């Protein structure tokens, strides 16, 4: 009987699940509820991935490419895959086959340990449809694991036809999005890295970099035998410990895995120290990514300017929350910088050693960076104890002083709105990539290149126009500085942190220029978000696919400021900023950042805000409003309609009424239904109705 009860309890998890995609239309039967859809469509290319595992190593995907993108069909796609995977790609077979009752081409290939099978055919509009199955060798080799995969192609039905273009608004429900976020969340690791003690020898003239890292690892489970860390660019030379071990490097396109196998397993809570020696004869990592196309280099050791942002130049685990003790050894008289507190500077034998320590443990989305150059600097220590220091090259004294002034203004706004930083020093540093630009915030360290380090004399940002290229050098200071709070102190996910940074830009301009500049910033964000909608699929801010297409920046950077401005108007300044500070003080990384933000504001507001956060952060798109009015003898009747698809939004609107006598009257209303009618007395006949606040309403307003 217990076995029967167990089988009944487990049955729903393994029950097959029909799936229907509306636009373009296709159907298939998923092996179980564990298989979650992830829509990564962009720029007219359909990409829907189904996977039961967080790393998506086992997956089924449906893709459709417009014909012109694949002029030679499967051969063009094979060339693209081969270029992306490099030497890891190996074709197994390309042969005729069938899929969904159509003649197709069956293509099987390997990338590393994984095998992928794709079937491809052309639809009625000459687009190429691909049905993909991928899994590691262990899955394909196990008959029980392989069987659900093999049933998927037989269940696939394609009827996309003339409606093959992806929808402009993703219709995923908040429940679905939360499931996808949970699927993408990092798994609990069987170990934790508690401390790095790093020594790096940097030789700019020789382009070389040597590393020694003593890594303290503690077991979170009993019988810990294997530790996996990740690096990029550097080559591991040796790994040793106070016990016998074996180690290997698992090459991968994104980051190499350093896998250490212990001869003597660790008990729960037991620690081991790994001594890793690594190096790089030519420390340089470029990037061809398109998400932020202006970035071309993420790390270099070169004469004049050596620095690193995204390079994993020391081995890290995915949580990346260890204490660090970093010593940078460079030729004198160069200055070496990173995050943390400078505790020691020793000069001897024409070299200088800088030692920095950061004892706080918190998850970091990026590794500690570094910068090395012939720097001069200036600093200011605030009443809060926060030490702000700016570094530039000889001849840049004026620009350094300008940024000290701007950082001080930013800190006035951010400490008021977000609370104090939990660490005492932030360094703002000018670096010089060998190509393109950079602007990035790292733990305790901000790096910007020439384009973002101009002379700020005469820069006027009072319009709040974020698109004005003349104000970028000013705004990048505020934007990257705010990430010290939202990205590293609070640890909000990037898709939320970037929008908060745009909003704190508005707060900075409010301090610098007044309310008109703040309003102008919100207006710029609204134009960018709503004005460009419709060309490609828009995803909710919280949807993992928000990164997948050209709507990434308008949605992630520009929608959140509109949402926060609407919340500020609803709550008032006192409760709004109290809620902001409370949210930033909630630093439990096990709680999703969107939920922490909601909890902070709810605590300050004393009311439930779940529906507000759900409709703005977990729903794609925006309200579309139409208004009409009818004059009465004693006033006016105004009807507001929401014409967008789906459920109506809850929306605070200011109805501005203009009368024949020249008077204007603003009536605040709370929309909750698809259509609502309001009546007000007026001193004269109404002649016009406008919806606002002007330029700041998170909605598209259409004519009557």
């Amino acid at each position: 009987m217990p076995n029967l009860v167990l089988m009944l309890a487990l049955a729903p998890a393994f029950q097959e699940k029909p799936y229907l995609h509306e636009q373009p239309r296709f159907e298939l039967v998923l092996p179980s509820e564990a298989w979650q859809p992830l829509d990564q469509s962009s720029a007219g290319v359909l990409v829907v991935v189904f996977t039961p595992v967080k790393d998506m190593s086992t997956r089924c995907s449906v893709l459709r490419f417009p014909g012109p993108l694949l002029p030679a069909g499967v051969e063009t796609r094979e060339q693209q895959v081969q270029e992306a995977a490099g030497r890891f790609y190996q074709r197994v077979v390309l042969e005729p086959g069938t899929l969904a009752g159509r003649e197709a081409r069956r293509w099987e290939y390997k990338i590393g340990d994984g095998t992928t099978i794709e079937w491809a055919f052309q639809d009625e509009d000459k687009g190429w449809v691909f049905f993909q199955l991928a899994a590691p060798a262990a899955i394909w080799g196990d008959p029980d694991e392989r069987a659900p995969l093999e049933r998927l192609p037989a269940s696939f039905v394609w009827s996309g036809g003339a409606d093959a273009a992806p929808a402009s608004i993703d219709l995923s429900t908040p429940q679905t999005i939360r499931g996808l976020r949970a699927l993408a969340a990092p798994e609990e690791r069987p170990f934790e890295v508690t401390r790095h003690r790093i020594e790096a020898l940097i030789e700019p003239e020789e382009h070389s970099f040597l590393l020694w890292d003593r890594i303290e690892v503690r077991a979170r489970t009993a019988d810990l035998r294997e530790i996996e860390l990740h690096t990029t660019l550097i080559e591991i030379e040796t790994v040793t410990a106070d016990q016998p071990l074996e180690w290997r490097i698992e090459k991968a396109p994104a980051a190499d895995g350093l896998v250490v196998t212990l001869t003597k397993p660790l008990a729960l809570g037991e620690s081991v120290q790994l001594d890793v020696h690594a190096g790089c004869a030519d420390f340089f990592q470029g990037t061809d990514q398109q998400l932020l196309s202006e970035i071309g280099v993420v790390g270099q050791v070169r004469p004049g300017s050596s620095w690193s942002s995204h390079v994993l130049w020391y081995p890290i685990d995915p949580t990346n929350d260890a204490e660090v003790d970093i010593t940078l050894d460079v030729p004198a008289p160069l200055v070496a910088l990173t995050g943390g507190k400078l505790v020691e500077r020793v000069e001897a034998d024409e070299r200088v050693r800088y030692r920095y320590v950061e004892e706080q443990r918190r998850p970091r989305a990026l590794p500690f960076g570094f910068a090395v150059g012939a720097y001069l600097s200036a600093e200011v220590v605030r009443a809060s104890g926060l030490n702000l220091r700016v570094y530039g090259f000889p001849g840049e004294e004026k620009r350094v002083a300008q940024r000290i002034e701007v950082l001080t203004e930013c800190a006035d706004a951010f400490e008021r709105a977000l609370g104090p930083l939990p660490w005492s020093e932030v360094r703002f540093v000018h670096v010089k990539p060998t190509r393109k630009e950079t602007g990035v915030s790292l733990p305790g360290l901000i790096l910007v290149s020439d384009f973002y380090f101009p002379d700020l004399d005469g820069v006027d940002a009072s319009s709040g126009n974020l698109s004005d290229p003349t104000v970028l050098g000013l705004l990048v200071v505020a934007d990257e500085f705010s990430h010290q709070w939202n990205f590293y102190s609070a640890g909000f996910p990037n898709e939320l942190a970037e929008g908060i940074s745009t909003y704190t830009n508005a707060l900075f301009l409010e301090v610098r220029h007044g309310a008109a500049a703040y309003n102008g910033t919100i207006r710029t964000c609204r134009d960018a978000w709503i004005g460009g909608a419709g060309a490609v699929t828009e995803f909710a801010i919280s949807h993992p696919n928000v990164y997948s297409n050209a709507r990434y920046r308008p949605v992630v950077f520009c929608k959140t400021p509109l949402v926060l401005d609407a919340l500020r108007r609803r709550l008032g300044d006192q409760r709004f900023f109290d809620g902001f500070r409370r949210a930033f003080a909630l630093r439990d990384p096990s709680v999703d950042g969107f939920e922490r933000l909601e909890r902070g504001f709810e605590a300050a507001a004393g009311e439930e805000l779940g529906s507000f956060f759900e409709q703005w952060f977990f729903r794609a798109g925006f309200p579309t409003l139409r208004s009409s009015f009818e004059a009465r003898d004693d006033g006016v009747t105004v009807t507001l309609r929401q014409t967008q698809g789906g459920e109506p939004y809850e929306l605070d609107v200011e109805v501005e009424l203009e009368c024949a006598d020249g008077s204007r009257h603003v009536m605040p209303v709370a929309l909750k239904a698809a259509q609502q009618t309001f009546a007000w007395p007026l001193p004269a006949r109404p002649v016009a109705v406008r919806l606002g606040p002007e330029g700041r309403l998170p909605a598209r307003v259409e004519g009557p």
Side-chain angles (χ1 to χ4, degrees):
M1 183 61 70
N3 288 338
L4 177 59
V5 172
L6 179 61
M7 290 172 62
L8 291 173
L10 292 177
F14 296 97
Q15 185 175 357
E16 290 186 334
K17 173 186 175 183
Y19 177 86
L20 171 63
H21 191 275
E22 290 287 356
Q23 188 180 354
R25 188 179 181 89
F26 68 83
E27 304 169 54
L28 74 162
V29 179
L30 299 172
S32 72
E33 290 284 348
W35 286 70
Q36 295 292 323
L38 187 64
D39 193 325
Q40 298 181 322
S41 304
S42 67
V45 177
L46 173 78
V47 181
V48 184
V49 181
F50 305 89
T51 180
V53 291
K54 292 181 178 180
D55 64 3
M56 295 195 293
S57 57
T58 298
R59 64 187 181 275
C60 166
S61 304
V62 178
L63 308 93
R64 183 194 182 274
F65 299 85
L69 292 184
L70 298 180
V74 179
E75 282 77 7
T76 302
R77 174 157 166 76
E78 181 181 29
Q79 182 180 358
Q80 294 169 349
V81 171
Q82 187 171 9
E83 289 175 354
R87 62 186 178 86
F88 299 100
Y89 173 82
Q90 177 187 351
R91 183 206 276 192
V92 177
V93 67
L94 179 57
E95 61 187 3
T98 59
L99 177 71
R102 304 168 185 250
E103 292 185 358
R105 301 187 72 188
R106 183 184 180 277
W107 168 36
E108 182 175 340
Y109 58 91
K110 293 183 178 181
I111 297 178
D113 180 53
T115 295
T116 301
I117 304 173
E118 298 193 12
W119 291 263
F121 61 84
Q122 280 193 291
D123 64 12
E124 291 78 2
D125 298 308
K126 303 301 182 183
W128 280 96
V129 178
F130 287 79
F131 186 89
Q132 178 194 86
L133 296 179
I139 300 295
W140 290 114
D142 185 327
D144 292 335
E145 297 279 3
R146 186 177 68 243
L149 289 178
E150 293 177 335
R151 289 196 295 269
L152 281 162
S155 73
F156 179 62
V157 177
W158 174 268
S159 51
D163 297 322
S168 61
I169 297 294
D170 175 68
L171 301 179
S172 298
T173 65
Q175 181 181 6
T176 296
I177 294 173
R178 287 190 171 92
L180 293 173
R181 292 185 66 81
L183 190 66
E187 296 179 348
E188 182 72 20
R189 306 285 288 182
F191 65 89
E192 61 175 337
V193 176
T194 58
R195 187 174 181 84
H196 290 274
R197 187 176 181 91
I198 296 169
E199 294 200 17
L201 183 70
I202 301 173
E203 298 285 3
E205 293 295 331
E206 299 176 11
H207 303 182
S208 68
F209 177 91
L210 293 176
L211 172 78
W212 293 265
D213 187 2
R214 173 161 287 181
I215 307 169
E216 183 175 306
V217 180
R218 181 162 54 214
R220 284 178 166 170
T221 61
D223 197 35
L224 177 67
R225 296 176 180 272
E226 191 169 270
I227 299 165
E228 183 175 0
L229 306 172
H230 300 279
T231 67
T232 56
L233 189 58
I234 61 171
E235 295 291 334
I236 306 296
E237 302 289 342
T238 61
V239 181
T240 59
D242 58 1
Q243 64 158 289
L245 57 79
E246 296 180 353
W247 64 275
R248 68 183 187 276
I249 298 296
E250 293 186 348
K251 292 287 185 180
D256 292 340
L258 167 59
V259 182
V260 178
T261 303
L262 302 174
T263 302
K264 178 186 175 184
L266 297 183
L268 175 64
E270 190 177 1
S271 296
V272 65
Q273 286 187 343
L274 304 177
D275 288 310
V276 177
H277 174 42
C280 187
D282 184 11
F283 190 100
F284 181 88
Q285 186 164 326
T287 175
D288 295 321
Q289 53 80 38
Q290 295 301 311
L291 196 62
L292 298 172
S293 58
E294 64 270 28
I295 306 298
V297 178
V298 293
Q300 65 181 47
V301 172
R302 293 293 187 268
S305 182
S306 299
W307 56 275
S308 178
S309 58
H310 296 67
V311 177
L312 306 185
W313 54 274
Y314 58 96
I316 67 169
D317 63 325
T319 307
N320 189 25
D321 66 345
E323 298 177 15
V324 295
D325 185 324
I326 300 175
T327 297
L328 302 173
D329 186 322
V330 299
L334 297 181
V335 177
L337 307 165
T338 186
K341 184 177 181 62
L342 178 63
V343 297
E344 187 177 42
R345 179 187 181 278
V346 178
E347 185 169 356
D349 300 326
E350 298 184 336
R351 298 195 68 83
V352 193
R353 290 167 57 87
Y354 294 83
R355 182 182 171 209
Y356 297 86
V357 174
E358 178 54 76
E359 296 181 342
Q360 294 194 51
R361 292 194 60 189
R362 61 187 65 247
R364 304 177 183 100
L366 291 175
F368 278 81
F370 64 77
V372 177
Y375 288 120
L376 53 86
S377 66
E379 71 174 325
V380 62
V381 180
R382 294 178 53 78
S384 63
L386 179 61
N387 185 326
L388 303 173
R389 188 180 284 267
V390 178
Y391 294 81
F393 294 100
E396 295 180 337
E397 291 85 352
K398 178 182 177 182
R399 300 185 185 196
V400 167
Q402 290 170 338
R403 280 152 184 82
I404 286 289
E405 179 183 348
V406 175
L407 284 170
T408 300
E409 292 177 339
C410 291
D412 288 341
F414 299 165
E415 288 182 332
R416 171 202 172 213
L418 314 176
L421 278 177
W423 47 84
S424 61
E425 298 186 36
V426 176
R427 301 174 182 90
F428 190 97
V429 187
H430 184 192
V431 298
K432 294 179 176 290
T434 58
R435 58 186 174 92
K436 293 191 176 183
E437 303 293 338
T438 195
V440 61
S441 189
L442 300 153
L445 182 71
I446 298 168
L447 307 178
V448 298
S449 59
D450 291 350
F451 184 73
Y452 302 114
F453 203 81
D455 187 340
L456 298 179
D457 265 1
V459 173
D460 182 3
S462 60
S463 70
N465 182 4
L466 302 181
S467 302
D468 181 355
T470 66
V471 304
L472 282 180
L474 177 70
L475 292 180
V476 78
V477 179
D479 193 88
E480 300 300 346
F481 188 31
S482 74
H483 279 313
Q484 295 295 311
W485 276 266
N486 57 51
F487 207 38
Y488 294 110
S489 175
F492 288 128
N494 182 68
E495 59 272 17
L496 179 57
E498 291 289 8
I500 291 176
S501 282
T502 309
Y503 184 72
T504 53
N505 288 347
L507 296 180
F508 158 63
L509 293 181
E510 187 176 27
V511 168
R512 188 179 180 90
H513 295 295
Y518 169 88
N519 293 341
T521 305
I522 303 302
R523 185 179 300 110
T524 300
C525 291
R526 181 184 180 276
D527 292 345
W529 169 40
I530 294 178
V536 296
T537 303
E538 177 171 323
F539 294 94
I541 296 172
S542 60
H543 199 300
N545 283 2
V546 75
Y547 295 93
S548 67
N549 64 30
R551 288 291 285 165
Y552 160 69
R553 274 186 158 170
V555 172
V556 166
F557 286 72
C558 299
K559 181 177 179 178
T560 295
L562 267 293
V563 175
L564 292 174
D565 176 62
L567 188 59
R568 182 179 180 181
R569 287 186 283 109
R570 174 180 288 193
L571 300 182
D573 276 10
Q574 182 174 342
R575 291 198 300 167
F576 175 80
F577 287 114
D578 183 26
F580 230 168
R581 289 188 292 271
R582 288 172 182 262
F584 274 76
L586 298 173
R587 297 177 180 136
D588 183 354
S590 67
V591 180
D592 192 303
F594 289 95
E595 184 176 344
R596 283 185 276 131
L597 189 68
E598 180 183 333
R599 288 181 184 179
F601 280 112
E602 285 184 335
E607 61 181 273
E608 190 272 338
L609 295 171
S611 59
F612 179 92
F613 276 81
E614 192 163 275
Q615 73 175 8
W616 293 119
F617 290 112
F618 288 84
R619 178 178 176 180
F622 44 79
T624 299
L625 302 183
R626 284 178 174 265
S627 64
S628 60
F629 71 96
E630 181 179 351
R632 305 194 326 257
D633 291 341
D634 60 343
V636 67
T637 298
V638 176
T639 298
L640 302 182
R641 299 177 181 86
Q642 298 192 44
T643 63
Q644 77 285 341
E647 293 296 316
Y649 283 79
E650 295 184 9
L651 187 64
D652 296 317
V653 179
E654 293 179 1
V655 180
E656 182 182 341
L657 301 164
E658 181 181 350
C659 294
D661 63 359
S663 63
R664 295 176 184 271
H665 309 270
V666 177
M667 308 297 186
V669 300
L671 289 185
K672 295 184 179 180
Q675 178 173 317
Q676 289 177 250
T677 299
F678 306 90
W680 296 286
L682 291 174
R685 183 177 181 82
V687 295
V689 173
R690 283 179 286 271
L691 304 184
E694 183 180 358
R696 293 162 54 198
L697 185 65
R700 174 180 284 159
V701 179
E702 297 182 339

